[in-house]
Each structure stands twice: as C-alpha cells, then as structure tokens.
Amino acid sequence: MSYQDERQVRQAIVDIHRKLYELGFSVANDGNTSVRLDPDKIFITPMGLNKAALKVDQICVIDAKGNTLSSNGYTPSSERQLHTAIYDVRPDAKAIIHAHPPHAIACTLVNVSLKEPVLPEVIVALGAIPTARYAVPSTKDFGDAAAEEAKNYDAVVLDRHGAVTLGQTLDEALQKMERLEHTAKIMSIASAVGRVTPLTKPEADRLRMMSGRPDSMDNAITSAVVPEANDELVELIIKEVKAAMVSRKV
Ligand SMILES: [Zn+2]
C-alpha cells in the first residue's frame, strides 16, 4: 500500500528505524531512509541522531537534487546523495533504506560475493544481490557507485560499509534488506566451512524465468539463446567465460 500523506510518511520512517535497530541492522547514528512522496519531494532522516529514537518532526524534506525544502532545524542525512542518485535511476522506487547489516558488510571484507546464483529464493525475490564498488561514504561518488547497481537491482551491498534496498514502501524495502542480510549470514557460514557451489546455469535460468525477470542483467547472458549476428555470438561467449571465471573464485 502506498503512502497517502506526509503524516503517514513521517510515521513510517520513524517506525522502520525502530525495526532496523531491533533487527541489529543499524546502531547508534547509522543508517538512513527516505520516501519519495512526489517526484520533487523526498522525506529523509536527519543527520547525526540516534535513529532508533527518531521523532516525526525530525524528518527532513529535500528535493530531487538534494536541496533542503524543510528541516525543522535539523540537517538532512549526509547520505542524501545516495538517495537522490538512486531515485534518479529508478523512477519506480518510492522508498529507500540504507543500513549497516553486519553479515553483509563482513562478506565484503573477505570478498564473499552474494551475486552468484546460490539460493533459489534470492533469484526469485531479487534476481541477484550485487556489491557496489568501494567509494567514500557521504560523497557523490558513493551515491553514484550504489546507483550503478541499483539501476538494475533492488538490493545492493555497499563495499565495506552497508547495504541499500528499495521498493514501493519502506516495509517492502525492509523485507529486501532482511533477505539480503539473511543471505549474507548463510554465505558467511557456508564460506567458513567450505567452497560454495552455485546452482547450475539451467536451474538458475529456470528460476529467473519463474521470477519474471527475463531482462535482468544476469539474464542478459542467457536470454540471447539465438544470437542474430556473429558479433553477438562472440560477446555471448566472452560473457560466459567471464561468468565461469567469477564462479570459480567463489
Ligand atoms: Zn551508512
């Protein structure tokens, strides 16, 4: 259910941060969330406060470029460029959560990727969980790095820092954040005891078709079953070889 008015949005942001804290996805001042109520009106958490104890009148409002529209004396999140960059490439997104789920961050520290097709439910629910390239938090480059991946995926790990998820509502984004962190937890356990084996390509393809994501980035490899030109065939083979090399590194 989408948000009806400003009061509902402010309360939803307050509520979601309490849940993020209870889930252990963010501590102290960490994390920030936003809701885009109108194309040029984004409600976003303030900078610096303990987000588990937010109050509705502390939520700030910015425009699509990150300029402050109203703030009640507070400063909009230092990560507002992360939010505006993602909204910019995802016109369908209405809500964004940025948190610091510990297993997801830990995986980036030891190069355990969550992008490989390993768990069926992840392929069906999210397509894949890529990791954005490293960038310094709270910079424009950080927002750009996240947006490069969020353009095609709803759940993205941020190298050495956290994760970002998006959806029509904050509850939807939270579900994706839970899925991401649970996947990271499973991958942490599995990687600690052995080598993780991805699903076979035909099975991963079948799951992608079931998920209704024939256009996903991962599927770009498999959807071109009948290339129209030799150049496409060469490109297809290169992609297949690269994918095989990546999967062997996991
Ligand atoms: Zn952060």
Side-chain angles (χ1 to χ4, degrees), residues 31-32 79 98 100 161:
N32 36 76
E79 294 291 15
H98 165 51
H100 294 183
H161 184 80

Side-chain angles (χ1 to χ4, degrees), residues 3 58 68 75 120-121 171 179 187 199 210:
Y3 300 108
Q58 294 172 326
T68 304
T75 305
E121 64 273 22
D171 282 334
R179 175 77 61 204
M187 290 294 284
L199 286 162
M210 282 170 59

Side-chain angles (χ1 to χ4, degrees), residues 38-59:
D38 293 317
D40 216 21
K41 195 173 187 183
I42 299 165
F43 290 78
I44 191 164
T45 42
M47 185 169 71
L49 303 180
N50 185 325
K51 307 299 188 307
L54 273 181
K55 295 185 173 48
V56 289
D57 61 0
Q58 294 172 326
I59 310 301

Side-chain angles (χ1 to χ4, degrees), residues 139-170:
T139 63
K140 183 181 180 303
D141 187 44
F142 183 73
D144 291 344
E148 283 164 18
E149 299 296 343
K151 187 174 182 181
N152 296 297
Y153 297 98
D154 292 354
V156 176
V157 178
L158 307 173
D159 191 27
R160 295 177 180 271
H161 184 80
V164 65
T165 56
L166 50 97
Q168 290 295 304
T169 63
L170 287 170

